Amino acid sequence: MLFPTFTFLFGFLPLTVIVYFLLSSRSRIVSQIWLVLASFVFYSWFNWSYSLILGGSLLMNWFFAQLLYKKQSKIILTIGIICNVLLLGYFKYYDFFIENINALFQTSFLLKHILLPLGISFFTFQQISFLQLVYSRSLAKRYSFGSYALFVCFFPQLIAGPIVLPDEMMSQFDRDDRLRPNARNIAAGLYLFALGMSKKILLADFFAEMADPGFLNAAGNFFTGWKTALAYTFQIYFDFSGYCDMAIGLGLLFNIRLPKNFHSPYLSENIADFWRRWHITLGRFLMTGLYIPLGGNRCGKFRNCLNLLITFFVSGLWHGASWLFVLWGMLHGTALVIHRIWSKFLGLKMHRIPAKLITFLFVLLAWIPFRATDMSQVKQLLAAMFCPESWSLPAPFDVRGLLFLIAGGFIIVFLKPAVDMEEKFRPTWVNAILTILLLIVPMFFFVKVSPFIYFNF
């Protein structure tokens, strides 16, 4: 079930919220069960078999957690992590590995064409974090199965994050003030949701219409090449930013505050700053779950750079079973190594304006293999941008597209991040009218809503 649909907005969401608070006034446990069941319905809407995988993963990890509570065993933790990785690997990477084995050894093993369960990377990583924290005895308390199930399955963050840590979410479940409707949270949640939905439908989906034809055929034209690259750069920005806003907004309706996951990444002054702003919770997971265990920056300079490359190799592969995603990850890993040498080892600095422009240009160029379906598209688009066959303006000239690119750039540079606006939000009549407009206008475009980009990961 997509957020920007009439079924979700006028059926699932109001029913879930109303029944949840009616039950909360009587029983905390029953209200948790209701929200877990509602989340399973939400997830099953895409494909009922997904709920079996989610439920199986949930029970498997709860079993390992109980073993770790009884005995702080690294063997149990390792087996639990391996089981999670195998589950993720089978559904996400089986065909990818078989394709590469066939190509490398000239074999003909059959592909299974496995349908990737939505959000499997997110709820797998989230549960790995839980097992690691149980093992290290880092959790503030021992939570019930109901709290754990809601932590994993909570529908606003189930499909595309954020990747939440147990204490920062489950600690909220026990607060009495969470069990009653909060007018301020409801107003702020609806505002954030409406803002995110507008970003997705009015901006991201329009930029997709500009970018998709360009990747299919940039036609060697300079302006078409750069328009295509900019359009996708803006598309993924507003698509992911819109989802993050909607997820946090939906959480607030239930008095649950999800962590910040997106904070104006295109204004970053360097690539390290970019990764502190883009998919913040994924970066946190890779930092604590992989980079630091590898040695982080506590080892020598060479090992430090190698650790960065390994971490971003995994980051690229996490995004998808394709060598183009690996290329994207390695580009970012290489850029981080260069930045580390430049800033840490040599102690050099750059003025903030050229630093921001260089960072944005790098991110834009790296998005090309991330979006492309094969290397021929990457080469075609880069050739159009840097070695064009034609410098003439395409006919007819896309005036509307140019205006949208200018507007998108203006919003990215000057509009405050939604999470910053939420902190100062007040339920005034002006904000109420703005929320209503941001909710109503995108509804006229529901017929062509596309899934969020990060649903694929």
Side-chain angles (χ1 to χ4, degrees):
M1 190 183 302
L2 294 173
F3 294 157
T5 58
F6 291 113
T7 302
F8 179 84
L9 284 176
F10 297 106
F12 176 85
L13 182 60
L15 178 64
T16 302
V17 172
I18 292 170
V19 174
Y20 172 75
F21 282 115
L22 287 175
L23 294 174
S24 294
S25 63
R26 292 168 173 80
S27 170
R28 185 196 308 268
I29 296 175
V30 175
S31 66
Q32 276 190 356
I33 294 172
W34 165 255
L35 200 45
V36 170
L37 291 175
S39 296
F40 266 92
V41 171
F42 171 84
Y43 191 62
S44 302
W45 205 268
F46 297 99
N47 187 320
W48 69 269
S49 63
Y50 290 171
S51 61
L52 300 177
I53 299 167
L54 175 60
S57 174
L58 189 73
L59 293 172
M60 177 187 74
N61 282 283
W62 181 251
F63 170 75
F64 281 115
Q66 299 318 296
L67 294 179
L68 289 169
Y69 276 126
K70 292 178 180 178
K71 184 179 181 181
Q72 193 177 14
S73 167
K74 196 163 189 177
I75 294 176
I76 295 174
L77 174 65
T78 302
I79 294 172
I81 292 175
I82 288 173
C83 288
N84 278 284
V85 172
L86 289 175
L87 180 69
L88 179 62
Y90 175 76
F91 284 102
K92 194 167 184 175
Y93 302 106
Y94 178 88
D95 282 353
F96 174 67
F97 286 126
I98 294 300
E99 283 179 345
N100 283 278
I101 289 172
N102 286 342
L104 188 61
F105 298 104
Q106 300 299 308
T107 54
S108 56
F109 295 113
L110 294 178
L111 303 180
K112 293 190 176 182
H113 302 291
I114 300 168
L115 185 64
L116 179 66
L118 293 175
I120 188 171
S121 297
F122 291 95
F123 65 72
T124 300
F125 274 22
Q126 199 155 300
Q127 293 184 101
I128 288 175
S129 292
F130 182 78
L131 293 181
Q132 290 173 327
L133 292 173
V134 171
Y135 168 77
S136 64
R137 302 294 192 260
S138 299
L139 293 180
K141 58 176 290 187
R142 184 167 178 170
Y143 296 100
S144 67
F145 178 73
S147 293
Y148 175 71
L150 185 55
F151 155 70
V152 175
C153 304
F154 188 45
F155 72 88
Q157 52 88 44
L158 174 60
I159 307 296
I163 301 172
V164 186
L165 296 177
D167 272 343
E168 68 184 348
M169 185 172 175
M170 284 195 275
S171 61
Q172 301 179 62
F173 298 162
D174 296 330
R175 289 167 39 191
D176 291 336
D177 60 345
R178 189 190 61 80
L179 303 176
R180 298 183 297 273
N182 183 303
R184 191 268 174 192
N185 283 350
I186 291 174
L190 288 174
Y191 173 75
L192 282 180
F193 181 86
L195 182 62
M197 187 167 69
S198 294
K199 287 180 181 179
K200 164 62 178 170
I201 296 176
L202 302 181
L203 293 171
D205 285 357
F206 177 80
F207 286 127
E209 294 178 3
M210 295 174 59
D212 292 347
F215 274 94
L216 291 174
N217 182 23
N221 183 278
F222 175 81
F223 293 100
T224 302
W226 279 96
K227 183 187 78 169
T228 299
L230 276 169
Y232 183 72
T233 300
F234 287 3
Q235 177 198 351
I236 195 169
Y237 180 97
F238 287 113
D239 191 280
F240 190 43
S241 173
Y243 184 91
C244 292
D245 294 349
M246 282 189 267
I248 293 175
L250 289 171
L252 286 175
L253 297 182
F254 299 92
N255 298 322
I256 295 173
R257 187 171 292 275
L258 296 173
K260 178 167 62 177
N261 204 28
F262 193 90
H263 199 261
S264 300
Y266 288 173
L267 300 184
S268 304
E269 295 185 15
N270 55 65
I271 197 63
D273 188 29
F274 173 83
W275 277 101
R276 287 190 289 267
R277 296 166 174 258
W278 178 275
H279 211 324
I280 297 168
T281 58
L282 173 63
R284 177 179 65 181
F285 176 87
L286 292 172
M287 178 71 66
T288 58
L290 182 60
Y291 178 71
I292 291 176
L294 285 172
N297 53 10
R298 302 186 308 274
C299 44
K301 295 178 181 179
F302 175 79
R303 274 288 306 280
N304 182 205
C305 294
L306 181 61
N307 293 341
L308 285 171
L309 290 173
I310 294 172
T311 300
F312 276 85
F313 173 86
V314 173
S315 174
L317 198 58
W318 176 87
H319 280 84
S322 165
W323 288 113
L324 289 175
F325 286 121
V326 173
L327 173 59
W328 172 81
M330 294 305 291
L331 286 171
H332 276 271
T334 303
L336 280 160
V337 168
I338 294 171
H339 172 259
R340 180 61 54 90
I341 294 172
W342 173 275
S343 62
K344 299 293 183 181
F345 302 159
L346 299 180
L348 301 175
K349 292 184 179 180
M350 184 181 296
H351 190 276
R352 60 184 305 189
I353 294 178
K356 285 185 176 184
L357 291 174
I358 291 171
T359 302
F360 176 75
L361 179 61
F362 168 79
V363 171
L364 177 147
L365 294 175
W367 283 135
I368 294 174
F370 187 92
R371 164 60 181 81
T373 56
D374 53 48
M375 277 303 298
S376 65
Q377 285 190 355
V378 176
K379 295 175 182 177
Q380 174 182 264
L381 194 56
L382 289 175
M385 294 168 69
F386 295 102
C387 304
E389 299 172 3
S390 171
W391 293 83
S392 61
L393 289 173
F397 183 67
D398 186 7
V399 177
R400 188 178 69 152
L402 177 61
L403 292 176
F404 262 82
L405 287 172
I406 293 172
F410 183 88
I411 292 170
I412 288 170
V413 173
F414 295 106
L415 185 68
K416 289 183 179 180
V419 289
D420 291 349
M421 291 190 287
E422 185 273 327
E423 293 173 358
K424 300 178 180 178
F425 180 86
R426 296 293 180 270
T428 63
W429 282 108
V430 173
N431 283 331
I433 293 171
L434 181 58
T435 300
I436 292 170
L437 288 174
L438 291 173
L439 281 171
I440 291 176
V441 174
M443 292 182 189
F444 291 100
F445 302 90
F446 274 4
V447 291
K448 60 176 183 177
V449 175
S450 61
F452 291 92
I453 293 174
Y454 266 76
F455 278 17
N456 298 318
F457 310 138

